Amino acid sequence: MATKTAPKPKPTSTSRFRKRKYGKNHAYYLRQADGSEVKLDGVTTILSNGIPKPALVYWAANATSDYATDHWDELAELPLSKRNETLRKSRYAISDEAKARGTEVHDLAERIAHGEEVEVPTEIRGHVESAVKFLDEFEVEVILTETSVFHDRALYGGTFDLLLRSKLFPGRVILADWKTNRTGIYPETALQLTAYAKATHYLDAEKREQLISELGITDTWAVWIRSDGYEVYDMECSDDTWAAFAHAAGVARSISDKEVAETWKSAPLRPRVAA
């Protein structure tokens, strides 16, 4: 009689840290010494809320105007209230489409980096070909992809795109982030990469905590992927960028904590009435 081999147990995570996905979003949590969990601030959320982006105001206005122009006849057939609602939401639809495209390019680029054969949708073929070209021309050796990190004292979490070596840069261990936006690399990308590089821990393939310091990161790159090519930028990772990220975190946390923000404002003042 043949004996059945018991399946190997799946490795269990001993990490205090976890990333929870829900729908299109995700959140990070860290277990404390008493067993309770605290929700960590995400790196990109900190930068979104902590750094002013006046260019987004102009982008939103232009995106709404462009949508109205491109959908003029369709909008004319809607009731006025529905037309107004459609225009208000149009910029979010455009932003969501761009994010979805970027996510898909990232996912396919990650699989290609691991040597997988992938089927590429026509609409993002140029972006994926540019990512492959970067991997080939820079003679990239992939160390890690899509890796979650956290800082157990500064209480933030995030996920970096790529850790690599390049034969063109011997002795270097490079933390890189893919960017697929239309306008190029924003300066705050340096703060994002600094936060990842200066995190205290990362999760390995078995979801076990490891020290970031053991990775030996020497450089941080932003890789701008477009349909017509790519560009690579060496981004600063220093005490200055770390201080700037910490400042952005302070601002973001202060304005999001309504109890703290309320203390910045007194009760309404009243004129004194003479006795």
Side-chain angles (χ1 to χ4, degrees):
M1 179 184 294
T3 57
K4 293 184 178 180
T5 303
K8 292 182 180 180
K10 294 182 179 179
T12 56
S13 172
T14 58
S15 175
R16 300 164 291 164
F17 173 75
R18 68 184 178 97
K19 177 180 179 180
R20 176 193 169 201
K21 293 185 178 180
Y22 52 98
K24 298 178 181 178
N25 300 311
H26 58 264
Y28 301 100
Y29 297 88
L30 184 65
R31 189 171 65 251
Q32 303 295 287
D34 62 2
S36 63
E37 273 192 332
V38 60
K39 185 177 180 180
L40 303 181
D41 296 308
V43 170
T44 54
T45 300
I46 286 173
L47 296 177
S48 176
N49 295 337
I51 295 181
K53 296 177 177 60
L56 286 181
V57 177
Y58 296 102
W59 172 85
N62 290 335
T64 303
S65 175
D66 290 344
Y67 183 91
T69 301
D70 293 340
H71 299 81
W72 194 267
D73 292 338
E74 300 167 41
L75 290 166
E77 296 176 3
L78 298 175
L80 289 177
S81 59
K82 185 65 175 177
R83 191 184 310 174
N84 191 38
E85 180 186 359
T86 302
L87 285 172
R88 283 202 310 270
K89 293 180 177 178
S90 62
R91 68 183 186 273
Y92 300 113
I94 294 169
S95 177
D96 288 346
E97 182 182 349
K99 288 177 183 176
R101 182 186 67 243
T103 298
E104 191 169 13
V105 171
H106 289 182
D107 290 345
L108 290 173
E110 177 187 356
R111 292 169 61 188
I112 290 167
H114 286 291
E116 290 186 43
E117 293 288 334
V118 299
E119 186 174 340
V120 180
T122 303
E123 60 270 20
I124 61 169
R125 184 174 299 278
H127 285 81
V128 175
E129 288 175 350
S130 295
V132 172
K133 189 176 182 182
F134 158 70
L135 294 171
D136 288 344
E137 292 185 345
F138 273 75
E139 300 184 50
V140 167
E141 175 197 342
V142 174
I143 303 171
L144 293 170
T145 60
E146 280 295 305
T147 299
S148 294
V149 303
F150 68 95
H151 199 298
D152 60 4
R153 297 183 301 281
L155 298 181
Y156 66 79
T159 301
F160 67 71
D161 289 338
L162 183 63
L163 188 72
L164 64 95
R165 294 186 184 91
S166 167
K167 292 181 180 178
L168 306 184
F169 297 85
R172 301 287 184 172
V173 177
I174 300 150
L175 182 67
D177 203 68
W178 306 104
K179 297 296 182 186
T180 56
N181 58 301
R182 296 180 180 177
T183 52
I185 303 300
Y186 297 116
E188 57 262 31
T189 301
L191 310 190
Q192 179 185 0
L193 287 163
T194 295
Y196 295 153
K198 290 187 177 292
T200 54
H201 297 78
Y202 74 97
L203 295 189
D204 65 17
E206 282 72 42
K207 305 301 180 186
R208 296 172 302 195
E209 282 182 31
Q210 306 291 348
L211 292 173
I212 283 274
S213 58
E214 294 178 352
L215 295 175
I217 297 168
T218 60
D219 297 79
T220 50
W221 287 359
V223 186
W224 184 26
I225 301 295
R226 309 183 307 276
S227 61
D228 63 345
Y230 72 90
E231 289 177 5
V232 180
Y233 298 87
D234 187 12
M235 306 299 290
E236 182 175 345
C237 179
S238 65
D239 289 343
D240 287 342
T241 53
W242 174 242
F245 174 76
H247 179 74
V251 172
R253 288 165 174 165
S254 294
I255 63 175
S256 64
D257 188 329
K258 298 190 184 306
E259 290 185 9
V260 171
E262 281 299 314
T263 66
W264 298 345
K265 178 182 68 177
S266 76
L269 300 179
R270 298 286 184 264
R272 293 187 177 182
V273 179

